[in-house]
Amino acid sequence: MARGTAIQRVVIAYGSESGNAERLACRLTDVPSLHAYELVCKALDDIDLCRLSADDLLLVLTSTFGDGDPPGNAEGFSAALEALSPELHFSYAVFGLGDVAYAHFCAFGKRVDRVLAARGARRLISRVDADLDYEYFFAQWQETVTAILDGRRQDGLDLNLQVQSYDATRGFDARVVAVERLNTSEHGVFHIELDIADSGMHYRAGDVLYVKPESNAALLDAMAIAFGAVARSLFDGKELRLLSKSVLRYMASASANADLKDKLKVRNRAQLADYLYGKDVLDVVNDCGGASGFDAEALAAKLSDLNPRAYSIASSGVTTMGQNPRVSLCVREVSYEASGRERFGAASYPLCTAAVGDAASVFTRANTDFRLEARAIAPLILVGAGTGIAPYIGFLEDLAQSGVQREVLLVFGERRSDQDFLYQQRLVAWQSAGVLDHLVTAFSRDQASKYYVQHALQDNGELVWRLLEEGGHVYVCGSRDNLAFAVDDAFQRIVVTHGGQSARDEADYWASLGDTGRLHKDLY
Ligand SMILES: Cc1cc2nc3c(=O)[nH]c(=O)nc-3n(C[C@H](O)[C@H](O)[C@H](O)COP(=O)(O)OP(=O)(O)OC[C@H]3O[C@@H](n4cnc5c(N)ncnc54)[C@H](O)[C@@H]3O)c2cc1C
Ligand SMILES: Cc1cc2nc3c(=O)[nH]c(=O)nc-3n(C[C@H](O)[C@H](O)[C@H](O)COP(=O)(O)O)c2cc1C
């Protein structure tokens, strides 16, 4: 067969943890145009770069794992890459596989590409950064490999297949497509749907969406009254509501506020939290003697940029390009009055009061410890209070769509059944459809004595114990203060009462649940 380049050998090297990159590498060996060359297919760890010559084309297909790390069978290669000193003379192309929900998207593929180029290897195809929908990219890459071997060099350089990932510095402007109030009690809880078409964003049920807030105009106005008109631009984009210890230390020191200094001592952590609850920077300025005691510019320089706020995703995953991808949240509106000023949660208030068509700057992050294991069939015990129900809406949507049969118990807690039964209609519909087997509620204010999810768990102890014994996974989501200790305690009591275990065995049982990856918590 005629050859368009001087290449004699094609070395296909894969770095793969769960098999995706390896499968693609194997498929590449079946491509007819490559059969004109000597063909080698190996794990990256079995490749010695120093033995490759100018006649070789190295095709790297690799995923990224952990915190931007190489997959298991590329760890040795990764270490060798760092130590590499000689000039490289071969040609290469990198196809990176990753997941944009991770902070270090395709980081290992990017590193391999960067180091090879820096050491003199000749990049024949622009690097590919593929997301979970890598098949479409792979088909194009495979064609490009054939094209460059035919001598069409420009095709490789023209290829533009790099999925963009988003983060705190660069969010995706998602459009609000629906805002639905879920309760009638004082603090509104809303189901919010965002359109993420054309974002290239992917997520799975259980993951987290970060929303980048914008400065609140009323708070900037109040700052301008205190510090003068310049404050509007000085403090725009600054975090004025969640104050870090370093900012508070600066304020205490600049104003010689001994009381605040004292609250900042480690032993007074609880006191500081109580003091800060409901306060923004202007409250602290006032408690420190007023704006005249501060240099506005210096204070602005100390404040960080607005922090993105995390929200559990309340919809099943988006993993397919070309559909109509959306992401849903369940958000409690933060708005209250204090010291004669209206206060608005930086992220929740704009979200809950958004009109259809408004934009929200967002990015996703994987929450691997809180996802549903694919293809698993073990029972699920889902415990959520308030907006802690959000991820379970995603789970149930996922189960309804996939048709996977799992016995599901949902224990949901809120204040009043007639005002706060979030997602009632959907839950009842899933119950009728057989997706949700047991729906247990705990409405704390429906009766004289308080009744919470931990009480409901114990009242359903026999069922909970059976599901645990059948290999059930426990998920707990919601307020850390309300759930962290109480729910652990309820489960431990169930193990003793229904499992007939001693207190010591019960502690082991509970620990083993965590050790075997059957206990998942998302508390905030
Ligand atoms: C992993 C994770 C998942 C989360 N998931 C969800 C979710 O699904 N749904 C959800 O609604 N939230 C969720 N949160 C919480 C969310 O990130 C925000 O903290 C919350 O929405 C408030 O943000 P905000 O910007 O609106 O308010 P901020 O501007 O950050 O103000 C919050 C502050 O307001 C004060 N405050 C709040 N309420 C009152 C009140 N009634 N009276 C006086 N002061 C008050 C407190 O000082 C509080 O610290 C999650 C958090 C994490 C970490
Ligand atoms: C625990 C875990 C950690 C991961 N970490 C990252 C990461 O840091 N960056 C990234 O882009 N992808 C990450 N991924 C996604 C994988 O790279 C992606 O699923 C890829 O298709 C896996 O390919 P493989 O089967 O060849 O290993 C991670 C996946 C898992 C399950």
Side-chain angles (χ1 to χ4, degrees):
M1 193 184 284
R3 288 184 177 168
T5 64
I7 286 164
Q8 301 292 323
R9 186 168 67 148
V10 176
V11 179
I12 301 169
Y14 55 85
S16 190
E17 185 83 31
S18 49
N20 295 339
E22 184 175 353
R23 270 189 294 277
L24 295 185
C26 289
R27 276 165 48 191
L28 213 50
T29 61
D30 293 333
V31 174
S33 60
L34 297 190
H35 292 162
Y37 300 84
E38 185 188 341
L39 205 53
V40 178
C41 183
K42 291 177 173 177
L44 274 168
D45 272 355
D46 298 327
I47 298 287
D48 182 352
L49 290 176
C50 299
R51 300 178 81 97
L52 299 184
S53 70
D55 299 340
D56 291 321
L57 169 61
L58 174 70
L59 298 176
V60 177
L61 298 100
T62 186
S63 64
T64 294
F65 258 77
D67 199 12
D69 295 331
N73 59 6
E75 281 172 0
F77 175 86
S78 169
L81 207 55
E82 284 312 309
L84 205 61
S85 56
E87 181 85 352
L88 303 173
H89 299 289
F90 56 85
S91 302
Y92 78 95
V94 174
F95 187 97
L97 293 90
D99 180 344
V100 284
Y102 288 91
H104 302 283
F105 173 57
C106 280
F108 183 60
K110 289 175 184 171
R111 184 154 77 84
V112 172
D113 180 48
R114 198 174 50 242
V115 175
L116 292 182
R119 298 284 191 277
R122 201 157 58 115
R123 185 192 292 121
L124 290 193
I125 305 180
S126 303
R127 188 192 67 243
V128 176
D129 300 329
D131 201 356
L132 296 174
D133 282 305
Y134 49 76
E135 285 291 349
Y136 174 68
F137 278 16
F138 181 67
Q140 291 187 62
W141 192 68
Q142 191 177 298
E143 277 178 23
T144 312
V145 170
T146 301
I148 55 144
L149 287 171
D150 282 349
R152 283 180 276 141
R153 285 278 318 271
Q154 198 54 38
D155 285 19
L157 303 176
D158 287 348
L159 193 74
N160 181 10
L161 294 178
Q162 291 180 352
V163 168
Q164 296 303 314
S165 64
Y166 302 92
D167 57 28
T169 55
R170 183 174 163 272
F172 173 74
D173 280 340
R175 294 277 150 201
V176 174
V177 284
V179 180
E180 179 197 346
R181 182 145 187 180
L182 298 170
N183 65 346
T184 55
S185 60
E186 191 193 353
H187 294 288
V189 177
F190 295 81
H191 179 76
I192 295 157
E193 240 176 86
L194 302 168
D195 181 352
I196 52 168
D198 302 325
S199 66
M201 272 167 45
H202 295 272
Y203 68 88
R204 291 192 216 152
D207 286 351
V208 172
L209 188 84
Y210 281 85
V211 176
K212 292 176 63 185
E214 284 178 10
S215 295
N216 176 263
L219 182 49
L220 285 181
D221 286 347
M223 293 294 278
I225 291 170
F227 286 96
V230 69
R232 267 200 198 83
S233 56
L234 267 183
F235 294 105
D236 190 15
K238 292 291 180 181
E239 182 58 71
L240 304 179
R241 291 188 49 78
L242 304 178
L243 303 175
S244 68
K245 270 195 160 184
S246 71
V247 167
L248 293 166
R249 249 182 236 117
Y250 165 77
M251 295 178 80
S253 161
S255 62
N257 183 334
D259 185 45
L260 182 54
K261 266 189 194 155
D262 194 52
K263 286 194 178 78
L264 283 160
K265 290 186 176 143
V266 176
R267 65 167 186 273
N268 294 332
R269 189 181 301 159
Q271 233 184 307
L272 180 68
D274 283 350
Y275 167 70
L276 286 178
Y277 186 75
K279 287 200 164 51
D280 56 31
V281 71
L282 193 51
D283 295 309
V284 182
V285 164
N286 290 334
D287 289 348
C288 290
S292 59
F294 291 94
D295 176 273
E297 249 178 73
L299 177 59
K302 288 282 170 198
L303 292 163
S304 68
D305 290 341
L306 273 157
N307 299 318
R309 273 39 170 194
Y311 293 93
S312 307
I313 288 176
S315 44
S316 64
V318 170
T319 51
T320 317
M321 274 190 190
Q323 281 182 339
N324 188 18
R326 301 215 166 150
V327 60
S328 299
L329 305 176
C330 171
V331 181
R332 189 179 301 278
E333 177 187 323
V334 171
S335 61
Y336 56 96
E337 202 240 70
S339 309
R341 245 188 326 121
E342 285 292 329
R343 317 294 174 100
F344 305 100
S348 66
Y349 185 76
L351 278 173
C352 295
T353 54
V356 168
D358 284 357
S361 180
V362 301
F363 60 97
T364 52
R365 283 292 170 260
N367 195 8
T368 40
D369 291 343
F370 210 78
R371 285 176 171 176
L372 283 185
E373 221 179 309
R375 291 180 292 278
I377 51 162
L380 295 170
I381 303 169
L382 312 176
V383 185
T387 54
I389 195 170
Y392 308 142
I393 298 302
F395 287 0
L396 290 163
E397 221 173 77
D398 217 342
L399 292 173
Q401 282 166 12
S402 67
V404 171
Q405 297 287 319
R406 303 181 75 161
E407 187 167 355
V408 184
L409 161 65
L410 172 65
V411 183
F412 169 63
E414 251 289 357
R415 285 190 173 174
R416 294 192 174 84
S417 56
D418 58 340
Q419 298 181 0
D420 304 304
F421 200 157
L422 310 181
Y423 295 103
Q424 181 175 15
Q425 281 181 3
R426 281 208 213 186
L427 295 175
V428 170
W430 276 321
Q431 236 186 331
S432 311
V435 177
L436 173 60
D437 301 276
H438 316 276
L439 174 58
V440 171
T441 52
F443 290 103
S444 59
R445 301 192 182 186
D446 269 6
Q447 56 288 306
S449 61
K450 293 286 168 64
Y451 187 77
Y452 297 112
V453 285
Q454 60 267 32
H455 303 121
L457 277 167
Q458 284 186 65
D459 287 347
N460 290 273
E462 203 177 318
L463 169 63
V464 171
W465 175 248
R466 176 173 67 75
L467 298 179
L468 284 176
E469 281 297 273
E470 289 174 11
H473 280 238
V474 178
Y475 289 78
V476 185
C477 184
S479 151
R480 182 177 298 280
D481 291 347
N482 298 340
L483 295 179
F485 171 74
V487 168
D488 275 9
D489 185 59
F491 273 107
Q492 290 173 15
R493 283 170 194 268
I494 289 167
V495 174
V496 173
T497 312
H498 298 275
Q501 313 230 2
S502 70
R504 224 189 67 216
D505 292 344
E506 155 266 299
D508 289 348
Y509 187 95
W510 195 239
S512 78
L513 223 57
D515 295 345
T516 53
R518 287 170 54 203
L519 178 59
H520 315 261
K521 289 184 181 172
D522 205 358
L523 301 172
Y524 47 86

Coordinates of all heavy atoms in Angstrom, one line a residue, residues 323-378:
Q323 N -29.1 15.9 23.0 CA -30.4 15.9 23.5 C -30.8 17.3 23.9 O -30.3 18.2 23.3 CB -30.5 15.0 24.7 CG -30.5 13.5 24.4 CD -30.7 12.7 25.6 OE1 -30.3 13.1 26.7 NE2 -31.1 11.4 25.5
N324 N -31.7 17.4 24.8 CA -32.1 18.8 25.3 C -31.6 18.9 26.7 O -32.4 18.8 27.6 CB -33.6 18.9 25.1 CG -34.1 20.2 25.4 OD1 -33.3 21.2 25.3 ND2 -35.4 20.4 25.6
P325 N -30.3 19.1 26.9 CA -29.8 18.9 28.3 C -30.2 20.0 29.3 O -30.1 21.1 29.0 CB -28.3 18.8 28.1 CG -28.0 19.4 26.8 CD -29.3 19.4 26.0
R326 N -30.7 19.5 30.4 CA -31.1 20.4 31.5 C -30.5 20.0 32.8 O -30.1 18.8 32.9 CB -32.6 20.4 31.6 CG -33.3 20.8 30.3 CD -34.5 21.5 30.5 NE -34.9 22.2 29.3 CZ -36.2 22.4 29.0 NH1 -37.1 22.1 29.8 NH2 -36.5 23.0 27.9
V327 N -30.5 20.9 33.7 CA -30.1 20.5 35.1 C -31.1 21.2 36.0 O -31.5 22.3 35.8 CB -28.6 20.9 35.4 CG1 -28.4 22.4 35.2 CG2 -28.1 20.5 36.7
S328 N -31.5 20.4 37.1 CA -32.5 21.0 38.0 C -31.9 21.1 39.4 O -31.0 20.3 39.8 CB -33.7 20.1 38.1 OG -34.3 20.0 36.8
L329 N -32.4 22.1 40.1 CA -32.0 22.2 41.5 C -33.2 22.4 42.4 O -34.3 22.7 41.9 CB -31.2 23.5 41.7 CG -30.0 23.7 40.8 CD1 -29.3 25.1 41.0 CD2 -28.9 22.6 41.0
C330 N -33.0 22.2 43.7 CA -34.1 22.4 44.7 C -33.5 23.4 45.7 O -32.6 23.0 46.4 CB -34.4 21.1 45.3 SG -35.5 21.3 46.7
V331 N -33.9 24.6 45.6 CA -33.2 25.7 46.4 C -34.1 26.4 47.4 O -35.3 26.8 47.0 CB -32.7 26.8 45.4 CG1 -31.9 27.9 46.1 CG2 -31.7 26.1 44.3
R332 N -33.6 26.5 48.6 CA -34.4 27.3 49.6 C -33.9 28.8 49.5 O -32.7 29.0 49.5 CB -34.1 26.8 51.0 CG -35.0 27.4 52.1 CD -34.8 26.8 53.4 NE -34.9 25.4 53.5 CZ -36.1 24.8 53.7 NH1 -37.2 25.5 53.8 NH2 -36.2 23.5 53.7
E333 N -34.9 29.6 49.4 CA -34.6 31.1 49.2 C -34.1 31.6 50.6 O -34.7 31.4 51.6 CB -35.8 31.8 48.8 CG -35.6 33.3 48.7 CD -36.9 34.0 48.4 OE1 -37.8 33.5 47.7 OE2 -37.1 35.1 49.0
V334 N -33.0 32.3 50.5 CA -32.5 33.0 51.7 C -32.8 34.5 51.6 O -32.3 35.1 50.7 CB -30.9 32.8 51.9 CG1 -30.4 33.7 53.0 CG2 -30.6 31.4 52.2
S335 N -33.7 35.0 52.4 CA -34.0 36.4 52.5 C -34.6 36.7 53.8 O -35.4 35.9 54.3 CB -35.0 36.8 51.3 OG -36.2 36.2 51.5
Y336 N -34.2 37.7 54.4 CA -34.6 38.0 55.8 C -34.3 39.5 56.1 O -33.6 40.1 55.3 CB -33.9 37.1 56.8 CG -32.4 37.2 56.8 CD1 -31.7 38.0 57.6 CD2 -31.7 36.4 55.8 CE1 -30.3 38.0 57.5 CE2 -30.3 36.4 55.7 CZ -29.6 37.2 56.6 OH -28.3 37.3 56.5
E337 N -34.8 40.0 57.2 CA -34.6 41.4 57.5 C -33.8 41.4 58.8 O -34.0 40.6 59.7 CB -35.9 42.1 57.7 CG -35.8 43.6 57.6 CD -36.3 44.3 58.8 OE1 -35.6 44.2 59.8 OE2 -37.3 44.9 58.8
A338 N -32.8 42.2 58.9 CA -32.0 42.4 60.2 C -31.5 43.8 60.3 O -31.1 44.4 59.3 CB -30.9 41.4 60.2
S339 N -31.6 44.4 61.5 CA -31.2 45.8 61.7 C -31.7 46.7 60.7 O -31.0 47.6 60.2 CB -29.6 45.9 61.7 OG -29.1 44.9 62.6
G340 N -33.0 46.5 60.4 CA -33.7 47.5 59.5 C -33.3 47.4 58.0 O -33.6 48.2 57.2
R341 N -32.5 46.3 57.7 CA -32.1 46.1 56.3 C -32.5 44.8 55.7 O -32.5 43.8 56.4 CB -30.5 46.2 56.2 CG -30.0 47.4 55.4 CD -28.5 47.4 55.1 NE -27.6 46.8 56.1 CZ -26.8 45.8 55.8 NH1 -26.8 45.2 54.6 NH2 -26.0 45.4 56.7
E342 N -33.0 44.8 54.5 CA -33.4 43.5 53.8 C -32.1 42.8 53.4 O -31.2 43.4 52.9 CB -34.2 43.8 52.6 CG -35.7 44.2 52.8 CD -36.5 43.1 53.4 OE1 -36.2 41.9 53.1 OE2 -37.4 43.4 54.2
R343 N -32.1 41.5 53.7 CA -30.9 40.7 53.3 C -31.3 39.7 52.3 O -32.3 39.1 52.4 CB -30.3 40.0 54.5 CG -30.2 40.9 55.8 CD -29.2 42.0 55.5 NE -29.2 43.0 56.7 CZ -28.3 43.0 57.6 NH1 -27.3 42.1 57.6 NH2 -28.3 43.9 58.6
F344 N -30.4 39.4 51.3 CA -30.7 38.4 50.3 C -29.5 37.5 50.1 O -28.4 37.9 49.9 CB -30.9 39.2 49.0 CG -32.0 40.2 49.1 CD1 -31.7 41.6 49.2 CD2 -33.4 39.9 49.1 CE1 -32.7 42.5 49.3 CE2 -34.4 40.8 49.2 CZ -34.0 42.2 49.3
G345 N -29.8 36.2 50.1 CA -28.8 35.2 49.8 C -28.2 35.5 48.5 O -28.9 35.7 47.5
A346 N -26.9 35.5 48.4 CA -26.2 35.9 47.2 C -26.6 35.0 46.0 O -26.7 35.5 44.9 CB -24.7 35.9 47.4
A347 N -26.7 33.7 46.2 CA -27.0 32.8 45.1 C -28.5 32.4 45.1 O -29.1 32.4 44.0 CB -26.1 31.6 45.1
S348 N -29.0 32.1 46.3 CA -30.4 31.5 46.3 C -31.4 32.5 45.9 O -32.4 32.2 45.2 CB -30.7 30.9 47.7 OG -30.7 31.9 48.6
Y349 N -31.2 33.8 46.3 CA -32.3 34.8 46.1 C -32.4 35.0 44.6 O -33.6 34.9 44.0 CB -32.0 36.1 46.8 CG -33.1 37.1 46.7 CD1 -34.3 36.9 47.4 CD2 -33.0 38.1 45.8 CE1 -35.4 37.8 47.2 CE2 -34.0 39.0 45.7 CZ -35.2 38.9 46.3 OH -36.3 39.7 46.2
P350 N -31.4 35.3 43.8 CA -31.5 35.5 42.4 C -32.1 34.3 41.7 O -32.9 34.4 40.8 CB -30.1 35.8 41.9 CG -29.3 36.2 43.1 CD -30.0 35.6 44.3
L351 N -31.7 33.1 42.2 CA -32.2 31.9 41.5 C -33.7 31.7 41.7 O -34.4 31.5 40.8 CB -31.5 30.6 42.1 CG -30.1 30.3 41.6 CD1 -29.6 29.1 42.5 CD2 -30.2 29.8 40.2
C352 N -34.1 31.9 43.0 CA -35.5 31.7 43.3 C -36.4 32.7 42.8 O -37.6 32.5 42.6 CB -35.7 31.6 44.9 SG -34.8 30.1 45.5
T353 N -35.9 33.9 42.5 CA -36.8 35.0 42.0 C -36.5 35.2 40.5 O -37.0 36.2 39.9 CB -36.5 36.3 42.7 OG1 -35.1 36.6 42.7 CG2 -36.9 36.2 44.2
A354 N -35.8 34.3 39.9 CA -35.4 34.4 38.4 C -36.7 34.3 37.6 O -37.6 33.6 37.9 CB -34.4 33.4 38.0
A355 N -36.6 35.0 36.4 CA -37.7 34.8 35.4 C -37.2 33.9 34.4 O -35.9 33.8 34.2 CB -38.0 36.2 34.8
V356 N -38.1 33.2 33.7 CA -37.7 32.3 32.6 C -36.9 33.2 31.6 O -37.2 34.3 31.2 CB -38.9 31.7 31.9 CG1 -38.5 31.0 30.6 CG2 -39.5 30.7 32.9
G357 N -35.7 32.7 31.2 CA -34.9 33.4 30.2 C -33.7 34.1 30.9 O -32.7 34.4 30.3
D358 N -33.7 34.3 32.2 CA -32.6 34.8 33.0 C -31.4 33.9 32.9 O -31.6 32.7 32.7 CB -32.9 35.1 34.4 CG -33.8 36.3 34.6 OD1 -34.1 37.0 33.6 OD2 -34.2 36.5 35.8
A359 N -30.2 34.4 33.1 CA -29.0 33.6 33.0 C -28.4 33.4 34.4 O -28.5 34.2 35.3 CB -28.0 34.2 32.1
A360 N -27.8 32.2 34.6 CA -27.1 31.9 35.8 C -25.8 31.3 35.4 O -25.7 30.4 34.6 CB -27.9 31.0 36.7
S361 N -24.7 31.8 36.0 CA -23.4 31.3 35.6 C -23.1 30.1 36.5 O -23.0 30.2 37.7 CB -22.3 32.4 35.9 OG -21.1 32.0 35.5
V362 N -22.9 28.9 35.9 CA -22.8 27.7 36.6 C -21.6 26.8 36.1 O -21.1 27.0 35.0 CB -24.1 26.9 36.5 CG1 -25.3 27.7 37.0 CG2 -24.4 26.4 35.1
F363 N -21.2 25.9 37.0 CA -20.4 24.8 36.6 C -20.6 23.6 37.4 O -21.1 23.7 38.6 CB -18.9 25.2 36.6 CG -18.4 25.6 37.9 CD1 -17.7 24.7 38.7 CD2 -18.5 26.9 38.4 CE1 -17.2 25.1 40.0 CE2 -18.0 27.3 39.6 CZ -17.4 26.4 40.4
T364 N -20.3 22.4 36.9 CA -20.7 21.1 37.7 C -19.4 20.6 38.3 O -18.3 20.8 37.8 CB -21.2 20.0 36.8 OG1 -20.3 19.9 35.7 CG2 -22.6 20.4 36.3
R365 N -19.6 19.8 39.3 CA -18.5 19.0 39.9 C -19.0 17.6 40.3 O -20.1 17.5 40.8 CB -17.9 19.7 41.2 CG -17.0 20.9 40.9 CD -15.7 20.4 40.2 NE -14.9 21.6 39.7 CZ -14.9 22.0 38.5 NH1 -15.6 21.3 37.6 NH2 -14.1 23.0 38.1
A366 N -18.2 16.6 39.9 CA -18.6 15.3 40.3 C -18.6 15.1 41.8 O -17.8 15.7 42.5 CB -17.6 14.3 39.6
N367 N -19.5 14.2 42.2 CA -19.6 13.9 43.6 C -19.6 12.4 43.7 O -20.6 11.8 44.0 CB -20.9 14.5 44.2 CG -21.0 14.6 45.7 OD1 -20.0 14.3 46.4 ND2 -22.1 14.9 46.2
T368 N -18.5 11.8 43.3 CA -18.5 10.3 43.1 C -18.9 9.5 44.3 O -19.5 8.5 44.1 CB -17.0 9.9 42.7 OG1 -16.1 10.5 43.5 CG2 -16.7 10.1 41.2
D369 N -18.7 10.0 45.5 CA -19.1 9.2 46.6 C -20.7 9.3 46.8 O -21.2 8.6 47.7 CB -18.5 9.8 47.9 CG -17.0 9.5 47.9 OD1 -16.6 8.6 47.1 OD2 -16.3 10.1 48.7
F370 N -21.3 10.1 46.1 CA -22.8 10.2 46.3 C -23.6 9.9 45.0 O -24.7 10.2 44.9 CB -23.1 11.7 46.8 CG -24.3 11.7 47.7 CD1 -24.3 11.4 49.0 CD2 -25.6 12.1 47.1 CE1 -25.4 11.4 49.8 CE2 -26.7 12.1 48.0 CZ -26.6 11.7 49.3
R371 N -22.9 9.2 44.1 CA -23.6 8.8 42.9 C -24.2 7.4 43.1 O -23.9 6.7 44.1 CB -22.7 8.7 41.7 CG -22.2 10.0 41.2 CD -21.2 9.8 40.1 NE -20.9 11.1 39.3 CZ -20.0 11.2 38.4 NH1 -19.3 10.1 38.1 NH2 -19.8 12.3 37.8
L372 N -25.2 7.0 42.3 CA -25.7 5.7 42.3 C -24.7 4.8 41.4 O -24.4 5.2 40.4 CB -27.1 5.6 41.6 CG -28.3 6.1 42.3 CD1 -29.5 5.8 41.5 CD2 -28.4 5.4 43.7
E373 N -24.4 3.7 42.0 CA -23.5 2.8 41.2 C -24.2 2.3 40.0 O -25.4 1.8 40.2 CB -23.1 1.6 42.1 CG -21.7 1.2 42.1 CD -21.5 0.0 43.1 OE1 -21.9 0.2 44.2 OE2 -21.0 -1.0 42.6
A374 N -23.6 2.4 38.8 CA -24.3 1.9 37.6 C -24.6 0.4 37.7 O -23.7 -0.3 38.2 CB -23.4 2.3 36.4
R375 N -25.7 0.0 37.2 CA -26.1 -1.4 37.1 C -26.2 -2.1 38.5 O -26.4 -3.3 38.5 CB -25.1 -2.2 36.2 CG -25.2 -1.8 34.8 CD -24.2 -2.6 33.9 NE -22.9 -2.2 34.2 CZ -22.3 -1.2 33.7 NH1 -22.9 -0.4 32.8 NH2 -21.0 -0.9 34.0
A376 N -26.1 -1.4 39.6 CA -26.3 -2.1 40.9 C -27.7 -2.3 41.2 O -28.6 -1.6 40.6 CB -25.7 -1.2 42.0
I377 N -28.0 -3.3 42.0 CA -29.4 -3.6 42.2 C -29.8 -3.7 43.7 O -30.9 -3.9 44.1 CB -29.9 -5.0 41.6 CG1 -28.9 -6.1 42.0 CG2 -30.0 -4.8 40.1 CD1 -29.4 -7.4 41.7
A378 N -28.7 -3.4 44.6 CA -29.0 -3.5 46.0 C -30.0 -2.4 46.4 O -30.1 -1.4 45.8 CB -27.6 -3.2 46.7

